[in-house]
């Protein structure tokens, strides 16, 4: 009943009515809501961590708390510190023809925001967008993943303690509920999940012209440059595959390593993983593959790679099913599934790469990744990657940390997503930036009204458009700057005369 499609519609109708009754929550109300969420996260941290662990079969308690509980708490601290500034209408310049009037942008709540979460960080993917939506004065409906039913139950209880259903509501249910949810006429949808389902969401949202923020995934490369400290790079990348057992959207998907250093890199990565996770099967802090379906895929990917000639080095002993230590794959070829699909697990393909140019060619020939990692010391190489390679975000000499900065937007580009719900950009994405121009009483608006053709109107028109006959125009003092490089005005003039 709670997760029925009729109920989704009924709750949306109630949230809409509530928006109309209270369209612009004041700063004080928004801050109070955020503080209550922060306090509840602290109170519920053990129950949330236990529920997430149950959903996964086993999940590191520290990682549950650090990422799914502490990260939203820090996000709230950042929002509380900046909300007054974000909400403040922004004064803008009028065009000089309209001088004496005043212009500003007012950030208005969009209304009801629909949030669809994935299963890998179920709390942060639901609560994170919700925090920003509440900060922007919206109401929120959340659809959790069918793979995280226990997390859904605890989160629903926690948020129901804080908010009436017409402000925040949480839904569970299967894919059919998710499909119905995506087709509701929200004022904005924030979706976290795969690029394939992201396209479905966009299609469903287009029927209502609902704007979307799509937090998707992809194959995020880690470039190990010749100047890199191999041991440090291997330790960082192994951490990226050990954290949540590689089931993170920004985990390094594959490594590009100079051919002559691959052996040293593999040895260092094995050793680093074994130091962090000496006994994967019995370690309560090493996370399982989230479901039998996902485990089956991991083993199929490895079988496919082996069958096509790859060498697989296991960084420890697993249990043959859902406990999988990092698997380093060398001698990879493009036809292997591990090089075609986003991995989202502890498999690490290592691709030989002899120069930065080769690495850039490899990355840019593929869909744009969510994250890009560079290990090395050359400032000019870092600058090239910053400017020339499209990726959602980038950390230099480690993985993922750019995601945890409250003031930075986090989101993808191209196949890895659209928009961001974090940082100042997130506040703006979930607000409507309304342009407001206030006309002053003494502004001579009559000059723009008919009957047209008065002397002043002709003068204004001439001033801005010039005369239709270029010969009668006053030469533009910026002429040379306006022309593109290489334009030769004498050649142009001559050819015009000769025709
Ligand atoms: P998924 O796309 O299969 O599912 C995501 C959500 O969409 C789930 O809640 C699911 O119930 C729902 N859903 C599934 N089919 C749907 C449909 N047809 N219409 C509407 N909703 C539908 O993804 P997943 O397996 O849960 O998560 C893994 C993917 O998510 C990976 O690609 C990963 O990179 C990505 N991801 C991205 C981020 C990010 O912040 N960019 C974070 C986490 C995960």
């Amino acid at each position: 009943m709670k997760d029925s499609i009729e109920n989704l519609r009924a709750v949306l109708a109630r949230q809409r009515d509530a928006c109309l009754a209270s369209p612009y929550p004041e700063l004080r109300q928004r801050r109070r809501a955020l503080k209550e969420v922060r306090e509840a996260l602290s109170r519920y941290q053990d129950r949330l961590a236990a529920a997430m662990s149950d959903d996964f079969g086993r999940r590191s308690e520290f990682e549950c708390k650090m990422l799914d509980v502490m990260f939203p708490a820090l996000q709230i601290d950042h929002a509380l510190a900046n909300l007054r500034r974000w909400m403040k209408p922004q004064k803008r310049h009028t065009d000089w023809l309209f001088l004496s009037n005043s212009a500003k942008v007012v950030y208005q709540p969009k209304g009801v925001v629909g949030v669809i979460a994935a299963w890998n960080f179920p709390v942060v993917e639901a609560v994170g967008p919700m925090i920003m939506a509440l900060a922007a004065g919206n109401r929120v409906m959340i659809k959790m993943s069918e793979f995280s039913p226990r997390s859904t139950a605890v989160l629903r209880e926690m948020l129901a303690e804080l908010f009436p259903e017409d402000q925040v509501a949480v839904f569970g249910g299967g894919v059919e509920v998710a499909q119905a949810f995506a087709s509701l006429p929200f004022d904005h949808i924030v979706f976290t999940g795969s690029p394939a389902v992201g396209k479905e969401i966009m299609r469903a949202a287009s029927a209502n012209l609902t704007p979307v923020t799509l937090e998707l995934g992809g194959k995020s490369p880690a470039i190990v440059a010749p100047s890199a400290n191999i041991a440090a790079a291997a330790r960082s990348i192994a951490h990226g595959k050990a954290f949540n057992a590689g089931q993170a959207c920004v985990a390094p998907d594959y490594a590009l390593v100079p051919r002559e250093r691959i052996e040293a890199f593999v040895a260092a990565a094995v050793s680093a993983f074994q130091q962090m996770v000496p006994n994967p099967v019995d370690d309560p802090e090493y996370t399982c593959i989230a479901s039998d379906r996902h485990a089956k895929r991991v083993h199929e990917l490895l079988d496919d790679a082996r069958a096509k000639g790859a060498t697989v080095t296991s960084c420890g002993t697993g249990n043959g099913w859902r406990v999988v230590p990092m698997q380093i794959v060398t001698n990879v070829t493009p036809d292997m599934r591990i090089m075609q699909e986003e991995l989202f697990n502890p498999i690490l393909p290592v691709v030989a790469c002899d120069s930065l140019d080769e690495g850039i060619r490899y990355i840019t020939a593929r869909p744009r990744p969510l994250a890009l990692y560079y290990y090395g010391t050359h400032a000019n190489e870092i600058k090239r990657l910053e400017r020339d390679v499209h990726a959602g975000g980038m950390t230099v000499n480690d993985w993922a940390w750019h995601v945890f900065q409250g003031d930075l937007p986090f989101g993808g580009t191209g196949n890895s997503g659209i928009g961001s719900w974090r940082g100042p950009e997130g506040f703006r994405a979930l607000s409507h930036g309304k342009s407001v121009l206030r006309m002053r009483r003494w502004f001579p608006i009559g000059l723009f009204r008919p009957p047209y053709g008065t002397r002043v109107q002709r003068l204004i028109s001439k001033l801005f458009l010039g005369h239709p006959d270029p010969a009668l125009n006053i030469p533009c003092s910026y002429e040379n700057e306006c022309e593109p490089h290489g334009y030769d005005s004498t050649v142009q003039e001559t050819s015009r005369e000769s025709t």
Side-chain angles (χ1 to χ4, degrees), residues 117 119-120 125 146 178 191-194 197 201 215-217 249 342:
W119 51 264
N120 63 324
E125 287 159 11
E146 62 279 16
F191 167 79
T192 302
S194 58
V197 177
I201 300 293
E215 298 280 4
L216 311 178
C249 56
E342 175 185 1

Side-chain angles (χ1 to χ4, degrees), residues 76-142:
I76 291 175
D77 293 346
H78 185 261
L80 289 172
N82 291 284
L83 194 51
R84 182 189 297 277
R85 189 165 51 85
W86 290 345
M87 285 174 68
K88 205 170 161 195
Q90 244 190 36
K91 205 168 157 18
R92 297 287 175 93
H93 296 290
T94 53
D95 285 353
W96 77 260
L97 188 56
F98 292 88
L99 275 179
S100 87
N101 298 302
S102 69
K104 64 182 174 184
V105 178
V106 174
Y107 294 100
Q108 189 181 22
K110 278 194 167 171
V112 183
V113 174
V115 174
I116 304 175
W119 51 264
N120 63 324
F121 295 113
V123 175
V124 78
E125 287 159 11
V127 169
M130 178 198 79
I131 289 167
M132 197 51 95
L134 291 174
N138 300 290
R139 286 153 199 276
V140 190
M141 289 172 62
I142 299 169

Side-chain angles (χ1 to χ4, degrees), residues 196-267:
V197 177
K199 289 175 192 165
E200 301 276 324
I201 300 293
M202 208 161 167
R203 205 169 293 129
S206 72
N208 303 306
L209 291 179
T210 298
V212 291
T213 298
L214 302 178
E215 298 280 4
L216 311 178
K219 291 183 82 60
S220 298
I223 301 175
V224 180
S227 61
N229 174 329
I230 282 285
R235 198 179 319 122
S236 160
I237 293 170
H239 179 226
K241 287 291 187 184
F243 191 87
N244 213 33
Q247 299 165 109
C249 56
V250 287
D253 188 279
Y254 62 95
L256 292 163
V257 181
R259 197 175 304 273
E260 70 283 2
R261 302 187 80 185
I262 287 180
E263 208 178 305
F265 174 82
V266 172

